[in-house]
Amino acid sequence: MPHKTSWEQEGIYWCCDNIVTFEEANEIINELLGNARFDSLKYFILDATDIKQLDITKTEVDIFSAITSSTRSYKSVLKCAFVSEDKSVRMLIDRYIETSTKLGITWEFKIFNHIKEARKWIASFDTFQ
């Protein structure tokens, strides 16, 4: 399976590898939005370090932005960390962030090269106190 989900005390962590398709990415979105814990989450981390190929179009990325924007009225604060060094993966993550922001999502997004940096960023916010 190209992704593994780990529910953490205040967030969710996904580790993806191999080839990630639209269907697989849609499963990830559904795990986030379709779970009762979503309302109390403070962060998510999507670790795409081991993805070999991201088989998702820009239009499909925009669909994910539209889906997650439906939460903006009741989930205004969420820290969203993405981890990848791959240029093509980062390009699609940038597209997701840009489109989500245009759609009014007020979540904080950031892309990192290493998981350690992402975890440090997540831990540095006052919302965790």
Side-chain angles (χ1 to χ4, degrees):
M1 186 157 170
H3 86 275
K4 180 181 175 188
T5 303
S6 299
W7 288 92
E8 300 178 351
Q9 186 173 349
E10 296 182 306
I12 187 170
Y13 169 79
W14 295 286
C15 185
C16 301
D17 62 16
N18 209 359
I19 299 171
V20 176
T21 64
F22 173 79
E23 292 77 16
E24 186 73 25
N26 196 43
E27 279 184 38
I28 290 170
I29 294 287
N30 288 332
E31 286 176 1
L32 177 67
L33 303 181
N35 193 293
R37 294 178 272 192
F38 174 67
D39 291 346
S40 62
L41 287 183
K42 295 182 179 180
Y43 69 88
F44 75 70
I45 299 172
L46 179 66
D47 186 346
T49 305
D50 295 326
I51 290 178
K52 306 291 185 263
Q53 179 182 344
L54 193 55
D55 194 13
I56 300 173
T57 67
K58 290 179 182 178
T59 300
E60 290 169 336
V61 170
D62 293 346
I63 291 169
F64 294 134
S65 295
I67 291 168
T68 54
S69 75
S70 68
T71 67
R72 69 182 177 271
S73 64
Y74 64 91
K75 186 68 174 173
S76 60
V77 176
L78 190 68
K79 309 302 178 194
C80 310
F82 300 89
V83 184
S84 179
E85 292 185 62
D86 183 272
K87 186 177 178 178
S88 62
V89 172
R90 289 176 77 101
M91 182 186 74
L92 290 175
I93 293 169
D94 282 335
R95 173 78 177 225
Y96 172 78
I97 293 169
E98 179 182 317
T99 304
S100 296
T101 302
K102 286 180 183 176
L103 292 173
I105 295 177
T106 55
W107 299 350
E108 291 193 49
F109 301 100
K110 194 160 182 180
I111 305 173
F112 300 90
N113 289 327
H114 305 285
I115 187 64
K116 199 173 194 177
E117 297 167 341
R119 291 249 182 231
K120 185 176 179 181
W121 179 73
I122 290 292
S124 70
F125 288 100
D126 291 338
T127 59
F128 290 76
Q129 296 179 1

